Every structure is written in structure tokens, then in C-alpha cells.
Amino acid sequence: MSEPQRPSLDEVNRSVAVPNNGASFLQKFLAYSGPGALVAVGYMDPGNWLTSLAGGSQYRYQLLAVLTLSILVAMFMQTLAIKLGVVARRDLAQAIAERVPTPLRVTLWLLNEVAMMATDLTGVVGTAIALKLLVGLPLVYGILLTIADVLVVLLFLRFGIRRVEFIVLAAILTVGVIFAIEVARAHPALPAIARGILPTTSLLTDHSKLILSVGIIGATIMPHNLYLHSALAQSRRYDVHDPQQVNEALRFGKWDSNVHLIAALIVNALLLILGGTLFFGRTGQLTSLQAVFEGLKEPTIVGNLASPVMSWLFAFALLITGLISSITSTLSGQIVMEGYIHIRLPLWQRRLLTRAVTLIPILIIGGLIGFNDRTFEHLIVYAQVTLSVALPFTLFPMVALTGSSRVLGTHANHRWVTLLGYLLTAVITGFNLQLLLDLF
């Protein structure tokens, strides 16, 4: 297989050195650790916030089962994306585009571009809402200000992808600590949390639960994370012709991914538990970020937990995740655009173009709804459903590619792994079809 003319995310491709074979496990883990953090941010973006808070406020802890299963499926799927990047030296968009006719390639690009827009909508709007909560900045100006994300990416990448990875890891830890403090102060019911981890048939039979469940799936297993991980897996500089080093890259790439996805699971579980503990059965379906922000200051709602500090920490955590997730979605948009339609532009132009493709529709939607934050938040929830509907068109090709010995040689999936991949994708597809049947 010939090398592509330009590798995916060429400014970071093979830019991080890794230790030789004599290094310790910890040294190797730290060297390979980082891409998983960038991917994990996508699992805790503002879209996850809304679906988790909505799930908790409406059904207490019952949707913890959906969240847990979604993360387990995400671990499996991200492992396949890593394998494609490490062994084939292709990102998912490149690998698919090389094997389909032009009409299908363009169709898949358009479909994934819609998914990128839905992903970017959550980060951009989440950032804008956080700025409104913290400093009173009007929503439209907050949305426009997110264009600066592109400049931030360019600035950080000048110092190497490792700087970006460290910043993202610090952001994850900060958000995790904030929500751990808030949940600890809320004193959740631990036995009820344990029961919530077990799935029930009502997840399929209750229409409202089904919508939120599909939203959680869409917010957890997102197409852009698979494209991003397949590219970031190529950022480490190992000998691609040495089977031992390739196996090592696969091994530590999986460790990196799973550790950070567990962190994402904890953050999302804390959000759902927070919503279920503070707002279930007390104020109705309290799903608005603005309402949660105000509710954390109101003793009649959250009792002794009420504090302007807790409210401010909530908004600050939202700002962090909104900023970081919109940066990673911009990177994913670049991967999809370059991989499917081979756009070749200078780095800053590519960044601006990928952001403009998603920002312009957001501004149009905002103009139509008067930049109402409550309406935007409802759009975020349905954006997660859109991601879930688009997901099978990414998962089926990825499972097929990683199961092919022509693509991955001896590293191709075992038959049972491929069958499991198809089964999981079919289940997600069935979930989506059930939702569409209920809607119509």
C-alpha cells in the first residue's frame, strides 16, 4: 500500500519520540499517553452535559446503565480506530475514501460533515453559554469569539502536540475534581446508583427514555472521535517496519485510550448523578444549563449545597470542556475534509475553513431562533441524536477495514472481533431505527 501524499494531520504526524525497547512500562505509557486525552474530551463535551443532566433530572440514576454500556462500546471502537492508524498509517477518512467510488465518497463526506456540524454545535454553543453565565457576554458574541479556537490550535501546535495533550489532560482533571466536589457535597444515594448501572427493558419501551438513551449514545460514541483517534495514533515516532514496535504502539495506544475513557465515564457519571441527586423529583425536568447554574445558588432547590462558588465552578467547567471539545472537533473536521475530498490548503486556511463550515450554519440557526440559549440547548440534545443516527455509516466501514487482512495484514481483527463489531453496530442501528419508528 502506497503512502498518501500528505499524512493525516501532517503537522503532528510522527512528531513525538517514544522510548526504545529497554524502557520501563511507565516510561512507555507516558510517552504514548496523550491522544486518548484529546479523544476523551469529546466524550465529556456540552452535549454530554445536557444528555446526562437531562437523564438524571428525569430518571434519577436509571440511565447510568446506558452511559456505562456506551463507554464500553466506545473502548472497543476506539481500539479499532487506533489499529487502523498504527498499522495501516491511514486515518479512517483516507482508508474509506481509497476504497469507494467517487459518488459514495462525496456522500459519506457530506454525511460526516453534518455530523461534524452537530459536534461543533455542542462545543461552540456550550462555550458561548458558559461565557454568558460567567461574564454576561451575549450569546452571539460568544459564538463569534469561538473563532479564536482556531488561532489557539495554531499557537499550541507550534510548540508540538505534547503541549496540547498536557493542556487537555489538565482540563480533564480540573473538570473531574470540580464535579467530584459537587457530587460529594450532594450526598447521593449509593445503593440507588448501584441499581442504576443495571439495564432494564424500559430503556426500549419508554419513548422519553429511548430519546435520551439514543442521545447519550450519540454523545458518547461519536463519529468524529473515531476519525480523530485514527489520525492521532500516528503522532508517535516508532519504527513501522519493526513488528515489535508496532505491537508496542498498539498495546500502549489501547492503554492510553482506555484509561482516558474511564476518566470520561467518571465525569459523565458524576454529571448524571449530580442531576439525579439535586434535581430529580424536586423541580421537574431541570435540563437547562442556565437553570442548573441558577439552581446551584438556590437553597430551596439544592439545600445546603447552594453557593455562588458551586455555581461558578459549574460554569467554569462548562467553559473548559466547551473550549477544548470545539478545538478537537475542528481537528476532526480537517481530517474528514482532507481524507474524503482531498482539500490541500495552508494550515491556517484549513483550520478556518473547517471551522467556517460548522460556524456559519450555527449562526444561521441562531438568527432564526433569536440566539435563545434555551432553544440552543434543545438543539444540542437533538444534535446528539443526529450523531447517533450518523454513527453506523462510520462504524460499519471501520469494522470492515480492520477485519481485512489486505488492509492490516496479520493485525487484522480475529473473526470474533469483527463479528462483535458488526453486532454492536447493528444494535446501535436498531436503537436508532426504533427511535425513528417511535417519532413517526
Side-chain angles (χ1 to χ4, degrees):
M1 182 181 297
S2 60
E3 288 295 319
Q5 293 182 350
R6 172 179 284 166
S8 178
L9 293 181
D10 54 314
E11 60 270 21
V12 302
N13 191 273
R14 296 180 59 79
S15 63
V16 180
V18 295
N20 57 35
N21 293 333
S24 67
F25 176 90
L26 181 59
Q27 288 175 312
K28 292 180 180 180
F29 174 75
L30 292 176
Y32 280 98
S33 183
L38 285 167
V39 170
V41 166
Y43 291 91
M44 56 182 78
D45 69 1
N48 295 80
W49 284 47
L50 283 173
T51 51
S52 294
L53 286 169
S57 66
Q58 294 181 44
Y59 300 108
R60 205 182 183 194
Y61 311 133
Q62 295 179 44
L63 298 185
L64 280 171
V66 176
L67 181 59
T68 303
L69 291 173
S70 296
I71 287 290
L72 291 175
V73 175
M75 288 180 175
F76 176 85
M77 295 301 178
Q78 295 297 155
T79 296
L80 300 186
I82 292 168
K83 184 185 290 188
L84 188 63
V86 168
V87 178
R89 308 297 300 174
R90 297 287 194 275
D91 68 55
L92 183 57
Q94 291 171 337
I96 295 174
E98 290 171 353
R99 291 167 176 82
V100 297
T102 299
L104 180 56
R105 175 167 58 84
V106 174
T107 300
L108 289 172
W109 168 66
L110 291 172
L111 178 65
N112 280 285
E113 204 62 65
V114 172
M116 296 300 119
M117 291 179 192
T119 301
D120 220 16
L121 177 108
T122 64
V124 168
V125 175
T127 300
I129 290 174
L131 289 171
K132 181 180 178 182
L133 296 177
L134 289 170
V135 299
L137 187 69
L139 205 60
V140 61
Y141 296 123
I143 291 173
L144 290 172
L145 193 59
T146 61
I147 296 174
D149 289 350
V150 179
L151 303 178
V152 171
V153 172
L154 291 172
L155 176 63
F156 286 156
L157 287 180
R158 286 177 64 89
F159 299 101
I161 189 65
R162 290 295 274 173
R163 296 287 180 91
V164 180
E165 292 169 352
F166 285 137
I167 290 170
V168 170
L169 179 58
I172 292 173
L173 292 174
T174 301
V175 172
V177 169
I178 288 173
F179 286 123
I181 292 171
E182 296 199 342
V183 168
R185 293 193 63 198
H187 303 294
L190 297 181
I193 290 173
R195 289 193 297 272
I197 297 174
L198 300 176
T200 62
T201 56
S202 65
L203 295 175
L204 287 174
T205 58
D206 186 311
H207 178 64
S208 296
K209 277 188 185 180
L210 179 63
I211 290 179
L212 273 174
S213 296
V214 173
I216 289 174
I217 292 172
T220 305
I221 311 168
M222 292 186 285
H224 88 282
N225 276 331
L226 300 170
Y227 288 100
L228 182 63
H229 216 162
S230 63
L232 292 177
Q234 303 175 50
S235 64
R236 270 44 186 178
R237 190 165 62 249
Y238 54 89
D239 186 351
V240 297
H241 303 294
D242 183 343
Q244 183 176 348
Q245 290 196 29
V246 171
N247 287 331
E248 193 171 83
L250 287 171
R251 177 190 176 198
F252 285 99
K254 294 173 186 177
W255 270 101
D256 169 52
S257 176
N258 290 339
V259 167
H260 287 100
L261 285 179
I262 289 172
L265 170 61
I266 292 171
V267 170
N268 282 304
L270 288 172
L271 270 168
L272 192 147
I273 291 168
L274 185 69
T277 303
L278 298 181
F279 306 120
F280 175 72
R282 298 191 185 184
T283 58
Q285 298 178 356
L286 189 56
T287 62
S288 163
L289 294 172
Q290 174 80 42
V292 174
F293 177 79
E294 297 298 336
L296 288 171
K297 296 186 290 186
E298 180 55 59
T300 59
I301 296 178
V302 298
N304 294 332
L305 180 65
S307 165
V309 174
M310 290 294 102
S311 186
W312 184 87
L313 286 174
F314 176 85
F316 181 63
L318 175 63
L319 178 63
I320 292 174
T321 54
L323 284 170
I324 300 299
S325 63
S326 63
I327 289 173
T328 58
S329 66
T330 301
L331 291 173
S332 303
Q334 176 183 331
I335 294 165
V336 166
M337 188 172 290
E338 287 194 351
Y340 278 114
I341 59 176
H342 312 304
I343 286 184
R344 294 289 184 252
L345 295 172
L347 182 58
W348 68 271
Q349 291 182 15
R350 280 183 278 143
R351 292 277 191 261
L352 286 176
L353 179 60
T354 53
R355 171 46 56 91
V357 165
T358 54
L359 196 58
I360 290 173
I362 291 173
L363 290 172
I364 293 173
I365 293 172
L368 293 174
I369 64 176
F371 290 96
N372 180 279
D373 54 346
R374 186 69 62 89
T375 306
F376 255 129
E377 290 183 21
H378 288 305
L379 287 176
I380 289 177
V381 174
Y382 283 97
Q384 306 313 307
V385 178
T386 301
L387 290 172
S388 189
V389 172
L391 191 59
F393 296 95
T394 298
L395 294 183
F396 276 117
M398 185 178 70
V399 173
L401 287 167
T402 55
S404 170
S405 59
R406 302 174 78 179
V407 178
L408 297 184
T410 59
H411 291 281
N413 298 335
H414 293 294
R415 184 179 296 273
W416 72 267
V417 174
T418 299
L419 291 175
L420 178 60
Y422 282 132
L423 176 62
L424 292 173
T425 305
V427 169
I428 293 171
T429 303
F431 222 12
N432 298 334
L433 290 175
Q434 179 66 49
L435 172 64
L436 293 176
L437 289 173
D438 284 354
L439 287 175
F440 296 103

